[in-house]
């Protein structure tokens, strides 16, 4: 019968009359399906690993502390490859390890006993040849020497150099995957990519640290060396902000006047841009000139400063507290001060009592409105008492109010009432929590009365 063009072809008419479904067809179809499934799983795994790689790079880039960046790098490398152990050796200028950062193993006891590993054996291989290193079985490698007693037994190793601006900064090592398999080409590619991306973050962190040190040195050079004001004792401290290498406007000063009184001041220029520090120096110098020109009450000096800032077209605002310490025959040492929008001084007596000198009447910051009145206040300074002047960075935190910070400072100062002035300042400004703002602290101690 001739073929009917409208009739659908069967396997038989299509030339497969030998069987309705060939047995030989099934394995090839299953193999293709399994291969496709395997490829899909691999693509999915690679996608997840790429996502984790990008997340690791973001985490590393977000930190500006060089050592924290390196720790993020070690932990990310171990996580991405499934490694049980990780270490990053930082190289010094002479090509030897100067620091070692680890994960998965407590290196503290080993470093305390044997010091930082030397650059020989497998560790030295990446230094002499800065290219990826992969070893499937460390125990059979002749270069695997120098493991100290107590060091974890390791089988496989993957290492990549860490290069910053063409110079080998350190070496990143991973050992022993959690699943017991050797490191693969994909692991090597992933770790190399991570190290390459991290090198930019390391360079940024190093530049950040240099900028921070330069800014701090510049700021400290603007601050005075305090003179001998005997019989009064005076100490001062400055601490830059912890989070940004910004030039602040915090300052302190103390000097004797021609009328035998002592003038002390602590202030803070608003802002943290490049202009704040030079403006702080200008205001400090202007205050010195005005104080020497007329040995009047603090309110008069600050009012004249306010008018001068306005007259010279300087729009900078600043808070400050200016005080005179006078010695009166009938009253001993007396504090006379005016407050221009600044945190109040604390008076700590020898028995640990702390008084916050915060009268209701106080002035506004300078550089705002020179027509506003500036009241003066007086308070006796008992023998062996300590006067604390400071900027708001000492008591302000992002997670608490100023009142709570002031109470904490008062409690801390009370416990240090009889401590020598230098250690007292170090303790008050050297607390472990980071400072969100610059801090200037000036402490003045009244002598005990003569016998």
């Amino acid at each position: 019968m001739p073929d009917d063009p409208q009739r659908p072809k069967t396997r038989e008419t299509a030339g497969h009359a030998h069987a309705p479904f060939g047995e030989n067809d099934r394995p090839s179809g299953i193999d293709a399906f399994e291969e496709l499934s395997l490829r899909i799983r691999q693509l999915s795994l690679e996608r997840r690993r790429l996502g984790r790689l990008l997340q690791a790079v973001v985490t590393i880039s977000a930190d500006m502390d060089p050592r924290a960046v390196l720790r993020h790098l070690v932990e990310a490398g171990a996580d991405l490859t499934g490694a049980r152990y990780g270490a990053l050796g930082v190289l010094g200028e002479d090509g030897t390890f100067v620091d070692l950062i680890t994960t998965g193993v407590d290196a503290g006891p080993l470093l305390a006993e044997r010091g930082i590993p030397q650059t020989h054996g497998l560790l030295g291989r990446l230094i002499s040849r800065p290219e990826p290193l992969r070893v499937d079985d460390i125990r059979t490698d002749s270069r695997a020497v120098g493991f100290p007693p107590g060091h974890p037994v390791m089988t496989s190793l993957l290492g990549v150099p860490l290069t910053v601006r063409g110079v080998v900064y350190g070496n990143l090592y991973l050992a022993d995957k959690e699943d017991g398999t050797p490191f693969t080409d994909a692991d090597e590619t992933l770790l190399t990519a991570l190290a390459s991306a991290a090198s930019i973050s390391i360079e940024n962190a190093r530049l950040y640290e240099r900028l921070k040190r330069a800014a701090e040195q510049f700021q400290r050079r603007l601050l005075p060396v305090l003179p001998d004001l005997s019989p009064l004792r005076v100490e001062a401290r400055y601490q830059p902000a912890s989070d940004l290498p910004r030039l602040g406007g915090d300052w302190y000063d103390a000097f004797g006047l021609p009328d035998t009184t002592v003038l002390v001041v602590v202030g803070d220029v608003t802002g943290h841009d490049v202009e704040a520090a030079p403006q702080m120096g200008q205001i400090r110098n202007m205050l010195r000139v005005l104080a020497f020109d007329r040995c009047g009450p603090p309110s008069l000096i600050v009012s004249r400063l306010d008018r001068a800032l306005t007259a010279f077209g300087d729009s900078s605002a600043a808070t400050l507290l200016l005080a005179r310490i006078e010695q009166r025959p009938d009253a001993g040492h007396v504090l006379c001060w005016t407050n221009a929008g600044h945190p109040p001084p604390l008076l700590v007596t020898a028995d640990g009592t702390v008084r916050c000198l915060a009268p209701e009447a106080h002035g506004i910051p300078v550089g705002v409105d020179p027509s506003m009145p500036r009241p003066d206040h007086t308070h006796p300074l008992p023998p062996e008492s300590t006067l604390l002047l400071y900027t708001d960075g000492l008591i302000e935190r992002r997670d608490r109010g100023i009142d709570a910070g002031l109470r904490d400072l008062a409690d801390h100062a009370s416990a240090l009432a009889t401590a020598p002035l230098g250690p007292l300042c170090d303790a008050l400004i050297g607390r472990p929590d980071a400072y969100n703002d610059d801090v200037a602290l000036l402490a003045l101690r009244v002598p005990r009365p003569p016998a």
Side-chain angles (χ1 to χ4, degrees):
M1 177 184 295
D3 288 343
D4 183 354
Q6 302 299 322
R7 180 184 177 188
K9 294 182 179 180
T10 64
R11 294 179 60 85
E12 191 173 319
T13 59
H16 297 279
H18 58 279
F21 188 88
E23 294 296 329
N24 295 331
D25 292 344
R26 186 173 299 144
S28 61
I30 293 176
D31 290 345
F33 178 76
E34 290 179 348
E35 182 179 352
L36 179 61
S37 299
L38 177 61
R39 182 59 181 159
I40 291 174
R41 287 196 298 270
Q42 289 175 339
L43 290 173
S44 177
L45 177 61
E46 291 173 3
R47 183 177 179 181
R48 289 198 300 270
R49 295 181 80 181
L50 179 59
R52 289 161 59 196
L53 172 62
L54 295 176
Q55 182 60 44
V57 171
V58 170
T59 302
I60 291 171
S61 303
D63 210 317
M64 281 297 165
D65 175 40
R67 206 169 194 279
V69 168
L70 298 179
R71 177 161 296 283
H72 289 320
L73 175 58
V74 178
E75 294 172 351
D79 176 66
L80 288 170
T81 59
R84 183 175 290 112
Y85 307 110
L88 193 152
V90 181
L91 296 174
E93 294 182 358
D94 60 353
T96 60
F97 288 123
V98 295
D99 195 7
L100 186 70
I101 300 169
T102 63
T103 185
V105 59
D106 183 10
L110 294 176
L111 294 179
E113 181 179 351
R114 301 291 295 269
I116 297 177
Q118 300 302 309
T119 53
H120 57 254
L122 285 173
L123 297 184
R125 157 65 171 74
L126 279 177
I127 299 174
S128 60
R129 292 175 58 190
E131 57 188 34
L133 169 68
R134 221 160 79 212
V135 178
D136 291 343
D137 191 348
I138 298 175
R139 296 166 297 183
T140 62
D141 196 298
S142 60
R143 298 166 296 182
V145 296
F147 286 98
H151 192 283
V153 177
M154 297 179 179
T155 303
S156 58
L157 176 74
L158 172 61
V160 296
L162 195 61
T163 305
V164 179
R165 290 188 177 272
V167 177
V168 178
Y169 180 84
N171 295 318
L172 177 58
Y173 303 93
L174 302 177
D176 290 4
K177 297 182 69 171
E178 294 283 358
D179 60 7
T181 61
F183 290 101
T184 64
D185 291 341
D187 294 327
E188 181 180 317
T189 300
L190 201 65
L191 194 63
T192 302
L194 178 65
S196 178
S199 65
I200 301 174
S201 298
I202 294 170
E203 179 67 6
N204 289 341
R206 293 168 67 186
L207 293 174
Y208 180 92
E209 283 296 307
R210 292 174 189 169
L211 177 60
K212 191 171 183 177
R213 287 195 299 268
E216 182 179 345
Q217 290 171 1
F218 177 76
Q219 180 89 0
R220 291 186 185 279
R221 287 180 181 275
L222 292 175
L223 297 172
V225 177
L226 298 180
D228 183 3
L229 299 173
S230 299
L232 297 172
R233 292 267 332 275
V234 63
E235 288 275 352
R237 298 291 186 272
Y238 169 76
Q239 179 66 43
S242 304
D243 53 352
L244 291 175
R246 52 189 182 179
L247 294 175
D250 295 32
W251 89 93
Y252 56 79
D253 204 355
F255 50 89
L257 294 175
D259 61 359
T260 70
T261 60
V262 169
L263 197 79
V264 293
V265 59
V266 166
D268 183 4
V269 175
T270 57
H272 292 90
D273 55 19
V274 72
E275 298 294 331
Q279 288 168 351
M280 172 268 286
Q282 292 173 358
I283 293 176
R284 182 176 67 84
N285 291 334
M286 291 173 69
L287 266 177
R288 282 195 165 201
V289 172
L290 293 171
F292 269 91
D293 181 45
R294 294 185 183 179
C295 300
S299 61
L300 175 62
I301 298 172
V302 175
S303 294
R304 295 183 68 199
L305 171 67
D306 212 351
R307 290 195 296 271
L309 291 174
T310 305
F312 295 153
D314 193 333
S315 60
S316 300
T319 68
L320 62 88
L321 192 143
L322 184 70
R324 286 167 56 100
I325 292 89
E326 306 171 359
Q327 188 169 14
R328 301 176 182 176
D330 58 338
H333 288 89
V334 175
L335 175 71
C336 179
W337 81 97
T338 190
N339 190 330
H342 202 75
L346 293 182
L347 180 61
V348 187
T349 57
D351 63 359
T353 302
V354 180
R355 183 181 179 89
C356 180
L357 304 181
E360 292 185 4
H362 60 83
I364 64 173
V366 297
V368 178
D369 185 355
S371 66
M372 295 293 291
R374 297 199 174 277
D376 282 306
H377 314 283
T378 59
H379 195 279
L381 297 176
E384 300 182 85
S385 63
T386 304
L387 179 69
L388 298 177
L389 309 182
Y390 51 92
T391 55
D392 56 5
L394 188 62
I395 57 175
E396 268 190 338
R397 296 292 184 278
R398 295 190 181 101
D399 57 348
R400 72 179 184 191
I402 292 181
D403 291 340
L406 191 57
R407 286 193 297 270
D408 289 346
L409 176 61
D411 292 342
H412 201 182
S414 174
L416 298 165
T418 58
L421 207 55
L424 180 144
C425 289
D426 292 336
L428 292 181
I429 207 168
R431 290 180 291 178
D433 47 344
Y435 290 110
N436 306 130
D437 198 357
D438 294 1
V439 177
L441 170 67
L442 187 142
L444 181 142
R445 179 161 291 171
V446 179
R448 68 175 60 183

